[in-house]
Amino acid sequence: MYGETEVLVAGAGPVGLALALALTRRGMAVRVLEKREGLSAASRASTVHPPTLDALEELGVLAPLLPGGVRVDRILWQQVEAGARVGAKAGIDLGILGGETGFPFRWHREQQDLTPALLAALPTGSVRFGAGVTALAQDDAGVTLRAADGSTHRARYAVGCDGASGAIRGLAGIGAETSDYAHRVLRLLTPLDLRDVVPGLDGLGYLFDGDGSCSLLRMPENWRLIFRIHPDMSDADAMAEAHARARIARFLPSAQDMEISGRDVYGVSRAMATSYRAGRVLLAGDAAHLTNTRGGMNMNAGIHDAMTLAATLDLVLGGEPERLLQDWADARLAVVRDALLPRTDSRVSGSPAEEVARMAALSPDGQRIWARQASMLDLARIGMPT
Ligand SMILES: Cc1cc2nc3c(=O)[nH]c(=O)nc-3n(C[C@H](O)[C@H](O)[C@H](O)COP(=O)(O)OP(=O)(O)OC[C@H]3O[C@@H](n4cnc5c(N)ncnc54)[C@H](O)[C@@H]3O)c2cc1C
């Protein structure tokens, strides 16, 4: 007997909550076990791509969230020389994706605004906080998870959405190939509206000089300026006032005295689970893949894992063969290996000067292909049962 629960989800991050809601909407009984005492408030993902907006709409949580975020219709690439915006320039209008998605734009909103909306849409009591999974056992009929609060839970299937340092992957005996990128990232926040500083900037811009780049992201309350820093530089030196100002001056000399309202440094990792499945245990989100943050893809990919897995579990719990779960697992692993990791790698390798020239040279068809790939429209539904 399974009690009332058909699927156990470990982790109440954006992926675990999206999965739980997608399963619930399809009529399955779900329990989420979360290690923390509440939702994480860390500032992490900011970029939501069109197919993820389609998914959030399908889950019924998007409409109240949408007005509080930033809609980005156009991406700018601009060569900078000696602080002046000269040389090659390129722009892509995401409206070219109209007809392929209900939301042909990028949307910027903090991940910690998304998770409470997903939680609120779940039936009361779906998430048990303070219940990090510490042990797992599976047999032919189901999976049993033990949590740190002493509780035990059993269901037909369990899904590890417990992030990069979660327990489920290891407990299920699934390996991972992991490597860190050499660089780290300096993130500065400013309330200054950078559209007044950079002509043609909408909500996302990449400025390049001979040595590097500066990404500009408009958020609801501020702008983020993102710089790559050398592996030998300490976090403290990277965040020091003089270094931060010098970085800004290289790309935005007329605004080098801007107010800096926040700053941090984070590392970027690269990882891929060796499989998305071990018997009745499945993985989704950061538990299965990590990428660098350029292009803002990893949470989006995790939510695509969740949507495709919910549809597959629905069929299997309805009596279709378990083989469908392996088909799903193979398909999503191929997405990570063949598209997500190479795509995000390519955005941090190569010469910045070449990137702006390459974007400027794209034909209208080339722009459409680029926009589809950058928006993950070609990846989101891979693994969806037909
Ligand atoms: C600075 C930064 C910027 C980013 N920007 C973007 C972006 O713009 N777009 C994008 O798509 N991605 C972005 N990402 C990546 C994104 O934040 C992650 O991919 C996303 O958080 C993954 O969600 P998740 O639910 O899989 O994992 P997590 O968010 O890590 O959630 C996992 C949950 O599991 C819980 N947990 C851990 N262990 C256990 C256990 N044993 N039992 C139960 N629960 C457990 C944790 O407490 C946590 O609540 C960014 C990341 C960073 C660091």
Side-chain angles (χ1 to χ4, degrees), residues 10-16 33-36 43-47 111 131-133 161-163 166-167 187 266 285-286 293 296-300:
V15 175
L33 303 175
E34 166 56 46
K35 183 168 151 181
R36 296 172 197 268
S43 171
R44 295 178 68 187
S46 58
T47 298
Q111 173 175 331
V133 174
C161 301
D162 48 348
R187 182 168 63 166
Y266 56 88
D286 279 18
T293 51
M297 290 190 173
N298 211 49
M299 178 189 74
N300 285 268

PDB file of all heavy atoms in Angstrom, residues 10-16 33-36 43-47 111 131-133 161-163 166-167 187 266 285-286 293 296-300, ligand 1:
ATOM      1  N   ALA A  10      11.786  15.223  -3.870  1.00  0.00           N
ATOM      2  CA  ALA A  10      12.738  15.768  -2.895  1.00  0.00           C
ATOM      3  C   ALA A  10      13.199  17.123  -3.396  1.00  0.00           C
ATOM      4  O   ALA A  10      13.772  17.228  -4.477  1.00  0.00           O
ATOM      5  CB  ALA A  10      13.927  14.829  -2.735  1.00  0.00           C
ATOM      6  N   GLY A  11      12.945  18.183  -2.615  1.00  0.00           N
ATOM      7  CA  GLY A  11      13.415  19.521  -2.965  1.00  0.00           C
ATOM      8  C   GLY A  11      12.302  20.442  -3.402  1.00  0.00           C
ATOM      9  O   GLY A  11      11.561  20.135  -4.336  1.00  0.00           O
ATOM     10  N   ALA A  12      12.182  21.575  -2.697  1.00  0.00           N
ATOM     11  CA  ALA A  12      11.166  22.580  -3.043  1.00  0.00           C
ATOM     12  C   ALA A  12      11.824  23.809  -3.646  1.00  0.00           C
ATOM     13  O   ALA A  12      11.565  24.940  -3.250  1.00  0.00           O
ATOM     14  CB  ALA A  12      10.338  22.949  -1.810  1.00  0.00           C
ATOM     15  N   GLY A  13      12.706  23.586  -4.617  1.00  0.00           N
ATOM     16  CA  GLY A  13      13.208  24.673  -5.458  1.00  0.00           C
ATOM     17  C   GLY A  13      12.231  24.861  -6.612  1.00  0.00           C
ATOM     18  O   GLY A  13      11.152  24.255  -6.638  1.00  0.00           O
ATOM     19  N   PRO A  14      12.593  25.681  -7.588  1.00  0.00           N
ATOM     20  CA  PRO A  14      11.672  25.913  -8.702  1.00  0.00           C
ATOM     21  C   PRO A  14      11.318  24.639  -9.470  1.00  0.00           C
ATOM     22  O   PRO A  14      10.177  24.490  -9.926  1.00  0.00           O
ATOM     23  CB  PRO A  14      12.437  26.901  -9.603  1.00  0.00           C
ATOM     24  CG  PRO A  14      13.853  26.872  -9.136  1.00  0.00           C
ATOM     25  CD  PRO A  14      13.833  26.469  -7.707  1.00  0.00           C
ATOM     26  N   VAL A  15      12.269  23.713  -9.567  1.00  0.00           N
ATOM     27  CA  VAL A  15      12.006  22.501 -10.353  1.00  0.00           C
ATOM     28  C   VAL A  15      11.098  21.539  -9.589  1.00  0.00           C
ATOM     29  O   VAL A  15      10.109  21.024 -10.135  1.00  0.00           O
ATOM     30  CB  VAL A  15      13.339  21.837 -10.771  1.00  0.00           C
ATOM     31  CG1 VAL A  15      13.087  20.518 -11.487  1.00  0.00           C
ATOM     32  CG2 VAL A  15      14.130  22.794 -11.666  1.00  0.00           C
ATOM     33  N   GLY A  16      11.405  21.307  -8.309  1.00  0.00           N
ATOM     34  CA  GLY A  16      10.564  20.407  -7.509  1.00  0.00           C
ATOM     35  C   GLY A  16       9.142  20.923  -7.395  1.00  0.00           C
ATOM     36  O   GLY A  16       8.170  20.155  -7.494  1.00  0.00           O
ATOM     37  N   LEU A  33       9.309  16.768  -0.092  1.00  0.00           N
ATOM     38  CA  LEU A  33      10.118  16.805   1.127  1.00  0.00           C
ATOM     39  C   LEU A  33      11.235  17.824   0.932  1.00  0.00           C
ATOM     40  O   LEU A  33      12.006  17.716  -0.030  1.00  0.00           O
ATOM     41  CB  LEU A  33      10.724  15.424   1.407  1.00  0.00           C
ATOM     42  CG  LEU A  33       9.711  14.283   1.535  1.00  0.00           C
ATOM     43  CD1 LEU A  33      10.445  12.941   1.679  1.00  0.00           C
ATOM     44  CD2 LEU A  33       8.775  14.514   2.721  1.00  0.00           C
ATOM     45  N   GLU A  34      11.309  18.828   1.759  1.00  0.00           N
ATOM     46  CA  GLU A  34      12.299  19.903   1.604  1.00  0.00           C
ATOM     47  C   GLU A  34      13.170  19.996   2.851  1.00  0.00           C
ATOM     48  O   GLU A  34      12.670  20.038   3.970  1.00  0.00           O
ATOM     49  CB  GLU A  34      11.583  21.237   1.326  1.00  0.00           C
ATOM     50  CG  GLU A  34      12.436  22.486   1.470  1.00  0.00           C
ATOM     51  CD  GLU A  34      13.701  22.528   0.620  1.00  0.00           C
ATOM     52  OE1 GLU A  34      13.629  22.206  -0.587  1.00  0.00           O
ATOM     53  OE2 GLU A  34      14.777  22.876   1.168  1.00  0.00           O
ATOM     54  N   LYS A  35      14.472  20.077   2.601  1.00  0.00           N
ATOM     55  CA  LYS A  35      15.449  20.122   3.694  1.00  0.00           C
ATOM     56  C   LYS A  35      15.352  21.402   4.530  1.00  0.00           C
ATOM     57  O   LYS A  35      15.441  21.366   5.749  1.00  0.00           O
ATOM     58  CB  LYS A  35      16.836  20.035   3.053  1.00  0.00           C
ATOM     59  CG  LYS A  35      18.004  19.990   3.944  1.00  0.00           C
ATOM     60  CD  LYS A  35      19.185  19.598   3.064  1.00  0.00           C
ATOM     61  CE  LYS A  35      20.487  20.115   3.539  1.00  0.00           C
ATOM     62  NZ  LYS A  35      21.571  19.720   2.620  1.00  0.00           N
ATOM     63  N   ARG A  36      15.162  22.533   3.846  1.00  0.00           N
ATOM     64  CA  ARG A  36      15.118  23.813   4.577  1.00  0.00           C
ATOM     65  C   ARG A  36      13.817  23.945   5.368  1.00  0.00           C
ATOM     66  O   ARG A  36      12.849  23.250   5.100  1.00  0.00           O
ATOM     67  CB  ARG A  36      15.147  24.993   3.600  1.00  0.00           C
ATOM     68  CG  ARG A  36      16.388  25.133   2.798  1.00  0.00           C
ATOM     69  CD  ARG A  36      16.160  26.235   1.754  1.00  0.00           C
ATOM     70  NE  ARG A  36      17.140  26.165   0.699  1.00  0.00           N
ATOM     71  CZ  ARG A  36      18.289  26.824   0.707  1.00  0.00           C
ATOM     72  NH1 ARG A  36      18.576  27.616   1.711  1.00  0.00           N
ATOM     73  NH2 ARG A  36      19.149  26.684  -0.292  1.00  0.00           N
ATOM     74  N   SER A  43      19.227  35.080  -4.298  1.00  0.00           N
ATOM     75  CA  SER A  43      19.064  35.681  -5.628  1.00  0.00           C
ATOM     76  C   SER A  43      19.827  34.826  -6.631  1.00  0.00           C
ATOM     77  O   SER A  43      21.053  34.822  -6.645  1.00  0.00           O
ATOM     78  CB  SER A  43      19.609  37.106  -5.612  1.00  0.00           C
ATOM     79  OG  SER A  43      19.640  37.616  -6.927  1.00  0.00           O
ATOM     80  N   ARG A  44      19.103  34.100  -7.460  1.00  0.00           N
ATOM     81  CA  ARG A  44      19.774  33.222  -8.428  1.00  0.00           C
ATOM     82  C   ARG A  44      19.218  33.500  -9.815  1.00  0.00           C
ATOM     83  O   ARG A  44      19.513  34.535 -10.394  1.00  0.00           O
ATOM     84  CB  ARG A  44      19.612  31.755  -8.005  1.00  0.00           C
ATOM     85  CG  ARG A  44      20.332  31.461  -6.691  1.00  0.00           C
ATOM     86  CD  ARG A  44      20.148  30.044  -6.217  1.00  0.00           C
ATOM     87  NE  ARG A  44      20.797  29.052  -7.054  1.00  0.00           N
ATOM     88  CZ  ARG A  44      20.661  27.744  -6.907  1.00  0.00           C
ATOM     89  NH1 ARG A  44      19.894  27.279  -5.934  1.00  0.00           N
ATOM     90  NH2 ARG A  44      21.273  26.896  -7.704  1.00  0.00           N
ATOM     91  N   ALA A  45      18.381  32.629 -10.359  1.00  0.00           N
ATOM     92  CA  ALA A  45      17.938  32.824 -11.749  1.00  0.00           C
ATOM     93  C   ALA A  45      17.112  34.100 -11.894  1.00  0.00           C
ATOM     94  O   ALA A  45      16.347  34.475 -11.006  1.00  0.00           O
ATOM     95  CB  ALA A  45      17.127  31.625 -12.203  1.00  0.00           C
ATOM     96  N   SER A  46      17.309  34.736 -13.051  1.00  0.00           N
ATOM     97  CA  SER A  46      16.540  35.942 -13.365  1.00  0.00           C
ATOM     98  C   SER A  46      15.868  35.842 -14.725  1.00  0.00           C
ATOM     99  O   SER A  46      14.952  36.588 -15.009  1.00  0.00           O
ATOM    100  CB  SER A  46      17.465  37.153 -13.371  1.00  0.00           C
ATOM    101  OG  SER A  46      18.503  36.950 -14.313  1.00  0.00           O
ATOM    102  N   THR A  47      16.342  34.939 -15.568  1.00  0.00           N
ATOM    103  CA  THR A  47      15.867  34.880 -16.946  1.00  0.00           C
ATOM    104  C   THR A  47      14.908  33.723 -17.144  1.00  0.00           C
ATOM    105  O   THR A  47      15.249  32.572 -16.847  1.00  0.00           O
ATOM    106  CB  THR A  47      17.059  34.692 -17.904  1.00  0.00           C
ATOM    107  OG1 THR A  47      17.908  35.827 -17.777  1.00  0.00           O
ATOM    108  CG2 THR A  47      16.593  34.554 -19.344  1.00  0.00           C
ATOM    109  N   GLN A 111      14.088  34.386  -9.289  1.00  0.00           N
ATOM    110  CA  GLN A 111      13.652  33.018  -8.982  1.00  0.00           C
ATOM    111  C   GLN A 111      12.895  32.964  -7.655  1.00  0.00           C
ATOM    112  O   GLN A 111      11.933  32.214  -7.517  1.00  0.00           O
ATOM    113  CB  GLN A 111      14.923  32.162  -8.929  1.00  0.00           C
ATOM    114  CG  GLN A 111      14.773  30.759  -8.471  1.00  0.00           C
ATOM    115  CD  GLN A 111      16.099  29.998  -8.584  1.00  0.00           C
ATOM    116  OE1 GLN A 111      16.939  30.281  -9.427  1.00  0.00           O
ATOM    117  NE2 GLN A 111      16.286  29.011  -7.728  1.00  0.00           N
ATOM    118  N   ALA A 131      12.567  18.577   6.222  1.00  0.00           N
ATOM    119  CA  ALA A 131      12.503  17.119   6.021  1.00  0.00           C
ATOM    120  C   ALA A 131      13.455  16.704   4.893  1.00  0.00           C
ATOM    121  O   ALA A 131      13.042  16.124   3.879  1.00  0.00           O
ATOM    122  CB  ALA A 131      11.060  16.704   5.699  1.00  0.00           C
ATOM    123  N   GLY A 132      14.742  17.030   5.064  1.00  0.00           N
ATOM    124  CA  GLY A 132      15.732  16.627   4.061  1.00  0.00           C
ATOM    125  C   GLY A 132      15.837  15.119   3.987  1.00  0.00           C
ATOM    126  O   GLY A 132      15.873  14.438   5.019  1.00  0.00           O
ATOM    127  N   VAL A 133      15.893  14.604   2.787  1.00  0.00           N
ATOM    128  CA  VAL A 133      15.962  13.149   2.615  1.00  0.00           C
ATOM    129  C   VAL A 133      17.353  12.661   3.016  1.00  0.00           C
ATOM    130  O   VAL A 133      18.369  13.210   2.574  1.00  0.00           O
ATOM    131  CB  VAL A 133      15.659  12.763   1.154  1.00  0.00           C
ATOM    132  CG1 VAL A 133      15.870  11.263   0.935  1.00  0.00           C
ATOM    133  CG2 VAL A 133      14.243  13.172   0.785  1.00  0.00           C
ATOM    134  N   CYS A 161      14.762  16.387  -6.946  1.00  0.00           N
ATOM    135  CA  CYS A 161      14.857  17.778  -7.441  1.00  0.00           C
ATOM    136  C   CYS A 161      15.584  18.563  -6.361  1.00  0.00           C
ATOM    137  O   CYS A 161      15.218  19.691  -6.040  1.00  0.00           O
ATOM    138  CB  CYS A 161      13.467  18.375  -7.667  1.00  0.00           C
ATOM    139  SG  CYS A 161      12.465  17.476  -8.850  1.00  0.00           S
ATOM    140  N   ASP A 162      16.572  17.913  -5.775  1.00  0.00           N
ATOM    141  CA  ASP A 162      17.202  18.461  -4.571  1.00  0.00           C
ATOM    142  C   ASP A 162      18.503  19.191  -4.878  1.00  0.00           C
ATOM    143  O   ASP A 162      19.347  19.363  -3.987  1.00  0.00           O
ATOM    144  CB  ASP A 162      17.386  17.367  -3.505  1.00  0.00           C
ATOM    145  CG  ASP A 162      17.997  16.085  -4.035  1.00  0.00           C
ATOM    146  OD1 ASP A 162      18.088  15.938  -5.271  1.00  0.00           O
ATOM    147  OD2 ASP A 162      18.379  15.229  -3.225  1.00  0.00           O
ATOM    148  N   GLY A 163      18.655  19.644  -6.105  1.00  0.00           N
ATOM    149  CA  GLY A 163      19.746  20.552  -6.430  1.00  0.00           C
ATOM    150  C   GLY A 163      21.095  19.873  -6.544  1.00  0.00           C
ATOM    151  O   GLY A 163      21.231  18.654  -6.435  1.00  0.00           O
ATOM    152  N   GLY A 166      22.218  17.937  -3.454  1.00  0.00           N
ATOM    153  CA  GLY A 166      21.186  17.090  -2.871  1.00  0.00           C
ATOM    154  C   GLY A 166      21.680  15.663  -2.640  1.00  0.00           C
ATOM    155  O   GLY A 166      22.778  15.288  -3.054  1.00  0.00           O
ATOM    156  N   ALA A 167      20.829  14.882  -1.997  1.00  0.00           N
ATOM    157  CA  ALA A 167      21.228  13.533  -1.582  1.00  0.00           C
ATOM    158  C   ALA A 167      20.733  12.433  -2.522  1.00  0.00           C
ATOM    159  O   ALA A 167      21.319  11.351  -2.577  1.00  0.00           O
ATOM    160  CB  ALA A 167      20.688  13.272  -0.176  1.00  0.00           C
ATOM    161  N   ARG A 187      28.974  40.343 -10.021  1.00  0.00           N
ATOM    162  CA  ARG A 187      27.649  40.895 -10.326  1.00  0.00           C
ATOM    163  C   ARG A 187      27.478  42.201  -9.552  1.00  0.00           C
ATOM    164  O   ARG A 187      27.596  42.212  -8.335  1.00  0.00           O
ATOM    165  CB  ARG A 187      26.591  39.861  -9.919  1.00  0.00           C
ATOM    166  CG  ARG A 187      25.177  40.270 -10.205  1.00  0.00           C
ATOM    167  CD  ARG A 187      24.219  39.099 -10.063  1.00  0.00           C
ATOM    168  NE  ARG A 187      24.152  38.549  -8.716  1.00  0.00           N
ATOM    169  CZ  ARG A 187      23.192  37.714  -8.295  1.00  0.00           C
ATOM    170  NH1 ARG A 187      22.258  37.301  -9.136  1.00  0.00           N
ATOM    171  NH2 ARG A 187      23.191  37.260  -7.065  1.00  0.00           N
ATOM    172  N   TYR A 266      30.129  34.987  -7.771  1.00  0.00           N
ATOM    173  CA  TYR A 266      29.749  33.574  -7.674  1.00  0.00           C
ATOM    174  C   TYR A 266      30.551  32.738  -8.675  1.00  0.00           C
ATOM    175  O   TYR A 266      31.002  33.234  -9.710  1.00  0.00           O
ATOM    176  CB  TYR A 266      28.244  33.375  -7.857  1.00  0.00           C
ATOM    177  CG  TYR A 266      27.639  33.921  -9.136  1.00  0.00           C
ATOM    178  CD1 TYR A 266      27.603  33.153 -10.293  1.00  0.00           C
ATOM    179  CD2 TYR A 266      27.079  35.193  -9.177  1.00  0.00           C
ATOM    180  CE1 TYR A 266      27.036  33.640 -11.455  1.00  0.00           C
ATOM    181  CE2 TYR A 266      26.504  35.693 -10.338  1.00  0.00           C
ATOM    182  CZ  TYR A 266      26.489  34.912 -11.477  1.00  0.00           C
ATOM    183  OH  TYR A 266      25.936  35.405 -12.622  1.00  0.00           O
ATOM    184  N   GLY A 285      16.265  18.885 -12.927  1.00  0.00           N
ATOM    185  CA  GLY A 285      16.861  20.156 -12.510  1.00  0.00           C
ATOM    186  C   GLY A 285      18.332  20.031 -12.172  1.00  0.00           C
ATOM    187  O   GLY A 285      19.054  19.194 -12.735  1.00  0.00           O
ATOM    188  N   ASP A 286      18.782  20.867 -11.225  1.00  0.00           N
ATOM    189  CA  ASP A 286      20.211  20.910 -10.900  1.00  0.00           C
ATOM    190  C   ASP A 286      20.733  19.574 -10.389  1.00  0.00           C
ATOM    191  O   ASP A 286      21.939  19.327 -10.428  1.00  0.00           O
ATOM    192  CB  ASP A 286      20.482  21.988  -9.830  1.00  0.00           C
ATOM    193  CG  ASP A 286      20.577  23.391 -10.424  1.00  0.00           C
ATOM    194  OD1 ASP A 286      20.107  23.591 -11.561  1.00  0.00           O
ATOM    195  OD2 ASP A 286      21.114  24.296  -9.747  1.00  0.00           O
ATOM    196  N   THR A 293      26.076  30.380 -16.108  1.00  0.00           N
ATOM    197  CA  THR A 293      24.830  31.154 -16.055  1.00  0.00           C
ATOM    198  C   THR A 293      24.606  32.004 -17.301  1.00  0.00           C
ATOM    199  O   THR A 293      23.524  32.572 -17.454  1.00  0.00           O
ATOM    200  CB  THR A 293      24.818  32.066 -14.812  1.00  0.00           C
ATOM    201  OG1 THR A 293      26.043  32.808 -14.769  1.00  0.00           O
ATOM    202  CG2 THR A 293      24.709  31.241 -13.545  1.00  0.00           C
ATOM    203  N   GLY A 296      21.274  32.134 -19.241  1.00  0.00           N
ATOM    204  CA  GLY A 296      20.185  31.873 -18.287  1.00  0.00           C
ATOM    205  C   GLY A 296      19.349  30.653 -18.644  1.00  0.00           C
ATOM    206  O   GLY A 296      18.142  30.738 -18.834  1.00  0.00           O
ATOM    207  N   MET A 297      19.986  29.493 -18.698  1.00  0.00           N
ATOM    208  CA  MET A 297      19.268  28.316 -19.203  1.00  0.00           C
ATOM    209  C   MET A 297      18.986  27.223 -18.180  1.00  0.00           C
ATOM    210  O   MET A 297      18.108  26.393 -18.402  1.00  0.00           O
ATOM    211  CB  MET A 297      20.060  27.692 -20.356  1.00  0.00           C
ATOM    212  CG  MET A 297      20.059  28.540 -21.606  1.00  0.00           C
ATOM    213  SD  MET A 297      20.751  27.621 -22.976  1.00  0.00           S
ATOM    214  CE  MET A 297      20.419  28.752 -24.322  1.00  0.00           C
ATOM    215  N   ASN A 298      19.732  27.159 -17.074  1.00  0.00           N
ATOM    216  CA  ASN A 298      19.687  25.915 -16.300  1.00  0.00           C
ATOM    217  C   ASN A 298      18.371  25.698 -15.553  1.00  0.00           C
ATOM    218  O   ASN A 298      17.834  24.590 -15.553  1.00  0.00           O
ATOM    219  CB  ASN A 298      20.865  25.840 -15.332  1.00  0.00           C
ATOM    220  CG  ASN A 298      21.280  24.421 -15.102  1.00  0.00           C
ATOM    221  OD1 ASN A 298      21.461  23.675 -16.071  1.00  0.00           O
ATOM    222  ND2 ASN A 298      21.369  24.009 -13.863  1.00  0.00           N
ATOM    223  N   MET A 299      17.838  26.737 -14.932  1.00  0.00           N
ATOM    224  CA  MET A 299      16.527  26.567 -14.275  1.00  0.00           C
ATOM    225  C   MET A 299      15.453  26.296 -15.323  1.00  0.00           C
ATOM    226  O   MET A 299      14.553  25.468 -15.122  1.00  0.00           O
ATOM    227  CB  MET A 299      16.159  27.811 -13.471  1.00  0.00           C
ATOM    228  CG  MET A 299      14.781  27.705 -12.819  1.00  0.00           C
ATOM    229  SD  MET A 299      14.219  29.238 -12.081  1.00  0.00           S
ATOM    230  CE  MET A 299      13.800  30.212 -13.533  1.00  0.00           C
ATOM    231  N   ASN A 300      15.563  27.010 -16.443  1.00  0.00           N
ATOM    232  CA  ASN A 300      14.593  26.791 -17.518  1.00  0.00           C
ATOM    233  C   ASN A 300      14.602  25.334 -17.951  1.00  0.00           C
ATOM    234  O   ASN A 300      13.541  24.703 -18.067  1.00  0.00           O
ATOM    235  CB  ASN A 300      14.927  27.699 -18.713  1.00  0.00           C
ATOM    236  CG  ASN A 300      14.549  29.157 -18.484  1.00  0.00           C
ATOM    237  OD1 ASN A 300      13.454  29.564 -18.833  1.00  0.00           O
ATOM    238  ND2 ASN A 300      15.439  29.929 -17.879  1.00  0.00           N
TER     239      ASN A 300
HETATM  240  C1  LIG B   1      23.778  33.591  -9.735  1.00  0.00           C
HETATM  241  C2  LIG B   1      22.933  32.604 -10.493  1.00  0.00           C
HETATM  242  C3  LIG B   1      22.176  33.047 -11.567  1.00  0.00           C
HETATM  243  C4  LIG B   1      21.391  32.157 -12.280  1.00  0.00           C
HETATM  244  N1  LIG B   1      20.652  32.618 -13.336  1.00  0.00           N
HETATM  245  C5  LIG B   1      19.864  31.764 -14.020  1.00  0.00           C
HETATM  246  C6  LIG B   1      18.986  32.245 -15.037  1.00  0.00           C
HETATM  247  O1  LIG B   1      18.916  33.458 -15.303  1.00  0.00           O
HETATM  248  N2  LIG B   1      18.203  31.355 -15.688  1.00  0.00           N
HETATM  249  C7  LIG B   1      18.236  30.011 -15.405  1.00  0.00           C
HETATM  250  O2  LIG B   1      17.531  29.248 -16.069  1.00  0.00           O
HETATM  251  N3  LIG B   1      19.032  29.529 -14.413  1.00  0.00           N
HETATM  252  C8  LIG B   1      19.825  30.370 -13.707  1.00  0.00           C
HETATM  253  N4  LIG B   1      20.564  29.902 -12.662  1.00  0.00           N
HETATM  254  C9  LIG B   1      20.446  28.494 -12.271  1.00  0.00           C
HETATM  255  C10 LIG B   1      19.233  28.275 -11.344  1.00  0.00           C
HETATM  256  O3  LIG B   1      19.331  29.091 -10.201  1.00  0.00           O
HETATM  257  C11 LIG B   1      19.145  26.809 -10.960  1.00  0.00           C
HETATM  258  O4  LIG B   1      19.225  26.034 -12.137  1.00  0.00           O
HETATM  259  C12 LIG B   1      17.855  26.487 -10.198  1.00  0.00           C
HETATM  260  O5  LIG B   1      17.872  26.973  -8.884  1.00  0.00           O
HETATM  261  C13 LIG B   1      17.641  24.972 -10.142  1.00  0.00           C
HETATM  262  O6  LIG B   1      16.468  24.674  -9.455  1.00  0.00           O
HETATM  263  P1  LIG B   1      16.320  23.269  -8.694  1.00  0.00           P
HETATM  264  O7  LIG B   1      14.946  23.295  -8.134  1.00  0.00           O
HETATM  265  O8  LIG B   1      16.742  22.163  -9.582  1.00  0.00           O
HETATM  266  O9  LIG B   1      17.428  23.320  -7.542  1.00  0.00           O
HETATM  267  P2  LIG B   1      17.543  24.297  -6.290  1.00  0.00           P
HETATM  268  O10 LIG B   1      17.027  25.646  -6.627  1.00  0.00           O
HETATM  269  O11 LIG B   1      18.957  24.172  -5.819  1.00  0.00           O
HETATM  270  O12 LIG B   1      16.557  23.669  -5.223  1.00  0.00           O
HETATM  271  C14 LIG B   1      16.862  22.419  -4.592  1.00  0.00           C
HETATM  272  C15 LIG B   1      16.075  22.327  -3.289  1.00  0.00           C
HETATM  273  O13 LIG B   1      16.324  21.046  -2.726  1.00  0.00           O
HETATM  274  C16 LIG B   1      16.560  21.197  -1.341  1.00  0.00           C
HETATM  275  N5  LIG B   1      17.340  20.042  -0.862  1.00  0.00           N
HETATM  276  C17 LIG B   1      18.682  19.873  -0.882  1.00  0.00           C
HETATM  277  N6  LIG B   1      18.989  18.660  -0.379  1.00  0.00           N
HETATM  278  C18 LIG B   1      17.828  18.058  -0.037  1.00  0.00           C
HETATM  279  C19 LIG B   1      17.502  16.796   0.495  1.00  0.00           C
HETATM  280  N7  LIG B   1      18.445  15.912   0.843  1.00  0.00           N
HETATM  281  N8  LIG B   1      16.196  16.493   0.699  1.00  0.00           N
HETATM  282  C20 LIG B   1      15.210  17.385   0.379  1.00  0.00           C
HETATM  283  N9  LIG B   1      15.479  18.617  -0.131  1.00  0.00           N
HETATM  284  C21 LIG B   1      16.767  18.932  -0.354  1.00  0.00           C
HETATM  285  C22 LIG B   1      17.262  22.531  -1.215  1.00  0.00           C
HETATM  286  O14 LIG B   1      17.136  23.063   0.094  1.00  0.00           O
HETATM  287  C23 LIG B   1      16.512  23.362  -2.257  1.00  0.00           C
HETATM  288  O15 LIG B   1      15.382  24.004  -1.719  1.00  0.00           O
HETATM  289  C24 LIG B   1      21.374  30.780 -11.921  1.00  0.00           C
HETATM  290  C25 LIG B   1      22.138  30.329 -10.846  1.00  0.00           C
HETATM  291  C26 LIG B   1      22.902  31.229 -10.132  1.00  0.00           C
HETATM  292  C27 LIG B   1      23.719  30.717  -8.970  1.00  0.00           C
END
